[in-house]
Amino acid sequence: MCLDLAAKVRWRKFFDKKNQYVLLQDKLAVKGYAQSRGVKTAKTLFSTQNPSSIPFDDLPNTYFIKANHGWSQNIVCLNSKFYNYGRGIEHYSPDGTERPPSLLSKNEISRQEVIALCETWLNKRHSNHEWAYHQISPQIIIEERLESLDGNELFDYRFYAFEGQVKAINVDSPSFKKAGKNAFFDINWNPFELTSYKEAFPVPPPNKPENLDAMLSAASQLSKDISFVRVDLYNCKSGIILGEMTIYPESGEINSPTSCKKFNKWLGDHWRLNRFQHLVALILNLIYQLKMSRIYKST
């Protein structure tokens, strides 16, 4: 019986616990890993476990503040003013242009609120079932703000890679999230024809990056010797920059990464498990499906 990608992610959450995964999920530590493999990362301006020590007056006018042990924990500083950024969907218009700060006033926060929010992040732990996150020593990172090539929002290029081989590329952005759009391409930038879409395919579709081959090479270098990992890259004025690496994409939720069962199973087929691992994953998947069916019936 075949298992889709999400089923194998769920198996990993409970049974595949490697120290390497802790390194990959740590947004600060993974920078050294990337640089050792020839892939650039955003410049770290400061890091700390004590938010009160952030040297605000010594930092540039624009930068990002984030936590190293979770997701959507982002604050952006724009011209010395702070905004709770989250996933960024409030910061861009549907066409991908950046909204002026005057339209972001509801998200503006003070320095003291920045410190308080960072302290909240440090005291929280990501999903109870995602083992690797709980092994990370929480820190606050301050990074340079990357600039897109065209002055609009940065596209997040997500490479689904299996032992150094990229099989699919997902393109995401804040405006796509807000509009409920999503796009999957093969390594030649041909859109995958999915049997169903939980999110709309963007029209017009994102253009093929001129340096796609270099991005594929970077994703391959970062994913060597890893059974499966999603490598997120930015293509910006600073070059090809690692965004993050994730071993638990979408936490293995049903109908992920797409609602096309055929595509999800095709992706899952590239992730090789031994017979025992496959059997355990099958049993876990049956239990999960039974649990979900009971939840749906109760609602």
Side-chain angles (χ1 to χ4, degrees):
M1 180 177 177
C2 294
L3 292 167
D4 64 13
L5 186 76
K8 292 183 177 180
V9 169
R10 293 193 295 273
W11 165 81
R12 172 180 274 172
K13 285 164 58 176
F14 290 97
F15 298 104
D16 191 15
K17 299 178 180 180
K18 296 183 176 71
N19 289 333
Q20 181 190 38
Y21 297 160
V22 181
L23 171 68
L24 298 180
Q25 295 308 115
D26 186 329
K27 291 181 173 63
L28 183 59
V30 75
K31 293 186 178 195
Y33 171 85
Q35 291 161 10
S36 72
R37 298 197 172 205
V39 180
K40 295 197 292 185
T41 64
K43 182 180 179 181
T44 301
L45 305 175
F46 188 73
S47 63
T48 183
Q49 293 180 316
N50 176 16
S52 296
S53 70
I54 296 174
F56 292 106
D57 293 330
D58 297 329
L59 294 169
N61 293 331
T62 299
Y63 51 86
F64 264 103
I65 303 174
K66 58 183 67 175
N68 71 324
H69 64 298
W71 63 282
S72 292
Q73 297 170 327
N74 300 295
I75 297 167
V76 65
C77 178
L78 299 172
N79 298 318
S80 300
K81 291 186 177 182
F82 300 98
Y83 303 89
N84 194 344
Y85 187 83
R87 296 189 301 159
I89 60 177
E90 300 298 328
H91 285 251
Y92 294 92
S93 301
D95 62 357
T97 56
E98 189 171 10
R99 300 176 69 198
S102 59
L103 298 179
L104 303 172
S105 57
K106 68 176 182 178
N107 294 327
E108 186 175 351
I109 56 179
S110 66
R111 281 190 184 183
Q112 287 305 311
E113 288 173 318
V114 169
I115 293 171
L117 185 53
C118 288
E119 288 175 344
T120 298
W121 291 344
L122 291 176
N123 290 317
K124 289 178 66 176
R125 287 293 185 272
H126 191 52
S127 172
N128 290 333
H129 300 302
E130 297 183 2
W131 170 83
Y133 283 106
H134 290 254
Q135 317 310 310
I136 298 170
S137 178
Q139 292 196 63
I140 298 300
I141 317 167
I142 298 179
E143 289 182 345
E144 65 173 325
R145 185 175 185 238
L146 302 175
E147 297 183 44
S148 66
L149 295 172
D150 61 4
N152 293 329
E153 66 182 338
L154 277 172
F155 281 123
D156 185 3
Y157 296 93
R158 300 171 170 179
F159 295 81
Y160 287 75
F162 305 83
E163 298 178 358
Q165 298 293 317
V166 174
K167 296 299 179 181
I169 308 165
N170 173 227
V171 184
D172 194 25
S173 74
S175 68
F176 280 9
K177 287 186 179 79
K178 191 171 186 178
K181 296 179 180 179
N182 212 343
F184 277 84
F185 298 88
D186 65 19
I187 61 173
N188 296 310
W189 211 252
N190 300 307
F192 280 102
E193 294 185 9
L194 306 181
T195 56
S196 63
Y197 292 83
K198 62 180 177 181
E199 296 166 306
F201 188 83
V203 179
N207 292 325
K208 176 182 177 180
E210 292 184 2
N211 57 352
L212 178 61
D213 287 345
M215 296 176 76
L216 287 166
S217 177
S220 177
Q221 286 297 319
L222 292 172
S223 62
K224 278 184 178 179
D225 307 318
I226 304 172
S227 56
F228 163 69
V229 66
R230 197 189 76 197
V231 179
D232 296 1
L233 299 174
Y234 293 117
N235 187 24
C236 59
K237 289 183 179 179
S238 301
I240 297 170
I241 302 292
L242 175 66
E244 65 177 338
M245 298 177 69
T246 179
I247 60 170
Y248 309 120
E250 299 180 73
S251 199
E253 292 182 1
I254 196 166
N255 290 332
S256 67
T258 77
S259 57
C260 175
K261 293 182 179 180
K262 182 179 179 180
F263 175 76
N264 295 346
K265 287 182 177 178
W266 176 80
L267 267 185
D269 286 343
H270 296 293
W271 185 346
R272 286 177 261 176
L273 303 181
N274 64 39
R275 288 185 179 182
F276 178 73
Q277 292 169 338
H278 188 82
L279 177 61
V280 172
L282 278 174
I283 295 171
L284 183 66
N285 189 46
L286 290 173
I287 294 171
Y288 181 80
Q289 290 180 340
L290 179 62
K291 178 182 176 181
M292 295 304 296
S293 66
R294 287 177 175 173
I295 291 174
Y296 290 143
K297 286 179 181 178
S298 66
T299 57

